[in-house]
PDB file of all heavy atoms in Angstrom:
ATOM      1  N   GLU N   8      -0.251  20.052   4.774  1.00 96.00           N
ATOM      2  CA  GLU N   8      -1.294  21.067   4.573  1.00 96.00           C
ATOM      3  C   GLU N   8      -1.608  21.705   5.919  1.00 96.00           C
ATOM      4  O   GLU N   8      -1.846  20.997   6.888  1.00 96.00           O
ATOM      5  CB  GLU N   8      -2.537  20.377   3.962  1.00 96.00           C
ATOM      6  CG  GLU N   8      -3.800  21.190   3.980  1.00 96.00           C
ATOM      7  CD  GLU N   8      -3.732  22.429   3.119  1.00 96.00           C
ATOM      8  OE1 GLU N   8      -3.599  22.308   1.902  1.00 96.00           O
ATOM      9  OE2 GLU N   8      -3.789  23.544   3.690  1.00 96.00           O
ATOM     10  N   ASP N   9      -1.578  23.030   5.979  1.00 95.00           N
ATOM     11  CA  ASP N   9      -1.795  23.684   7.277  1.00 95.00           C
ATOM     12  C   ASP N   9      -3.269  23.880   7.615  1.00 95.00           C
ATOM     13  O   ASP N   9      -3.621  24.060   8.767  1.00 95.00           O
ATOM     14  CB  ASP N   9      -1.040  25.021   7.349  1.00 95.00           C
ATOM     15  CG  ASP N   9      -1.411  25.964   6.217  1.00 95.00           C
ATOM     16  OD1 ASP N   9      -1.612  25.473   5.081  1.00 95.00           O
ATOM     17  OD2 ASP N   9      -1.492  27.173   6.448  1.00 95.00           O
ATOM     18  N   GLU N  10      -4.141  23.861   6.579  1.00 93.00           N
ATOM     19  CA  GLU N  10      -5.568  24.038   6.872  1.00 93.00           C
ATOM     20  C   GLU N  10      -6.165  22.708   7.279  1.00 93.00           C
ATOM     21  O   GLU N  10      -6.195  21.750   6.485  1.00 93.00           O
ATOM     22  CB  GLU N  10      -6.285  24.534   5.624  1.00 93.00           C
ATOM     23  CG  GLU N  10      -6.592  26.016   5.656  1.00 93.00           C
ATOM     24  CD  GLU N  10      -7.099  26.456   4.312  1.00 93.00           C
ATOM     25  OE1 GLU N  10      -8.310  26.310   4.072  1.00 93.00           O
ATOM     26  OE2 GLU N  10      -6.272  26.903   3.496  1.00 93.00           O
ATOM     27  N   ASP N  52       1.467  21.385   0.130  1.00 93.00           N
ATOM     28  CA  ASP N  52       0.855  22.705   0.013  1.00 93.00           C
ATOM     29  C   ASP N  52       1.974  23.739  -0.102  1.00 93.00           C
ATOM     30  O   ASP N  52       3.051  23.582   0.468  1.00 93.00           O
ATOM     31  CB  ASP N  52      -0.013  22.966   1.254  1.00 93.00           C
ATOM     32  CG  ASP N  52      -0.787  24.269   1.150  1.00 93.00           C
ATOM     33  OD1 ASP N  52      -1.150  24.658   0.019  1.00 93.00           O
ATOM     34  OD2 ASP N  52      -1.026  24.900   2.200  1.00 93.00           O
ATOM     35  N   LEU N  53       1.706  24.793  -0.862  1.00 90.00           N
ATOM     36  CA  LEU N  53       2.757  25.783  -1.108  1.00 90.00           C
ATOM     37  C   LEU N  53       2.929  26.749   0.067  1.00 90.00           C
ATOM     38  O   LEU N  53       4.035  26.989   0.548  1.00 90.00           O
ATOM     39  CB  LEU N  53       2.406  26.560  -2.385  1.00 90.00           C
ATOM     40  CG  LEU N  53       3.531  27.318  -3.057  1.00 90.00           C
ATOM     41  CD1 LEU N  53       4.712  26.412  -3.336  1.00 90.00           C
ATOM     42  CD2 LEU N  53       3.021  27.925  -4.348  1.00 90.00           C
ATOM     43  N   MET N  54       1.810  27.310   0.525  1.00 89.00           N
ATOM     44  CA  MET N  54       1.885  28.270   1.620  1.00 89.00           C
ATOM     45  C   MET N  54       1.723  27.541   2.946  1.00 89.00           C
ATOM     46  O   MET N  54       0.641  27.068   3.265  1.00 89.00           O
ATOM     47  CB  MET N  54       0.791  29.337   1.469  1.00 89.00           C
ATOM     48  CG  MET N  54       0.894  30.131   0.167  1.00 89.00           C
ATOM     49  SD  MET N  54       2.539  30.787  -0.169  1.00 89.00           S
ATOM     50  CE  MET N  54       2.521  32.206   0.927  1.00 89.00           C
ATOM     51  N   LEU N  55       2.824  27.477   3.681  1.00 92.00           N
ATOM     52  CA  LEU N  55       2.842  26.720   4.936  1.00 92.00           C
ATOM     53  C   LEU N  55       3.555  27.531   6.000  1.00 92.00           C
ATOM     54  O   LEU N  55       4.470  28.284   5.694  1.00 92.00           O
ATOM     55  CB  LEU N  55       3.641  25.425   4.752  1.00 92.00           C
ATOM     56  CG  LEU N  55       3.074  24.298   3.919  1.00 92.00           C
ATOM     57  CD1 LEU N  55       4.167  23.285   3.646  1.00 92.00           C
ATOM     58  CD2 LEU N  55       1.901  23.648   4.636  1.00 92.00           C
ATOM     59  N   PRO N  56       3.176  27.358   7.264  1.00 93.00           N
ATOM     60  CA  PRO N  56       3.932  28.013   8.324  1.00 93.00           C
ATOM     61  C   PRO N  56       5.298  27.355   8.519  1.00 93.00           C
ATOM     62  O   PRO N  56       5.495  26.200   8.132  1.00 93.00           O
ATOM     63  CB  PRO N  56       3.065  27.828   9.571  1.00 93.00           C
ATOM     64  CG  PRO N  56       1.897  27.004   9.182  1.00 93.00           C
ATOM     65  CD  PRO N  56       2.038  26.587   7.753  1.00 93.00           C
ATOM     66  N   GLU N  83      -2.975  32.332  -6.198  1.00 64.00           N
ATOM     67  CA  GLU N  83      -1.582  32.332  -5.774  1.00 64.00           C
ATOM     68  C   GLU N  83      -0.726  32.280  -7.029  1.00 64.00           C
ATOM     69  O   GLU N  83      -1.001  31.497  -7.934  1.00 64.00           O
ATOM     70  CB  GLU N  83      -1.330  31.064  -4.966  1.00 64.00           C
ATOM     71  CG  GLU N  83      -0.523  31.234  -3.725  1.00 64.00           C
ATOM     72  CD  GLU N  83      -0.612  29.957  -2.890  1.00 64.00           C
ATOM     73  OE1 GLU N  83      -0.194  28.897  -3.369  1.00 64.00           O
ATOM     74  OE2 GLU N  83      -1.127  30.042  -1.771  1.00 64.00           O
ATOM     75  N   LYS N 101      -5.887  24.565  -6.149  1.00 84.00           N
ATOM     76  CA  LYS N 101      -7.088  24.530  -5.305  1.00 84.00           C
ATOM     77  C   LYS N 101      -8.093  25.541  -5.854  1.00 84.00           C
ATOM     78  O   LYS N 101      -7.684  26.589  -6.332  1.00 84.00           O
ATOM     79  CB  LYS N 101      -6.753  24.933  -3.872  1.00 84.00           C
ATOM     80  CG  LYS N 101      -5.869  23.979  -3.122  1.00 84.00           C
ATOM     81  CD  LYS N 101      -5.610  24.584  -1.748  1.00 84.00           C
ATOM     82  CE  LYS N 101      -4.511  23.867  -1.006  1.00 84.00           C
ATOM     83  NZ  LYS N 101      -4.145  24.569   0.230  1.00 84.00           N
TER      84      LYS N 101
HETATM   85 CA1   CA H 301      -1.668  26.660   3.098  1.00 70.72          CA
END
Side-chain angles (χ1 to χ4, degrees):
E8 167 65 64
D9 56 322
E10 258 171 85
D52 185 32
L53 198 54
M54 300 310 281
L55 289 168
E83 223 168 61
K101 293 178 192 172

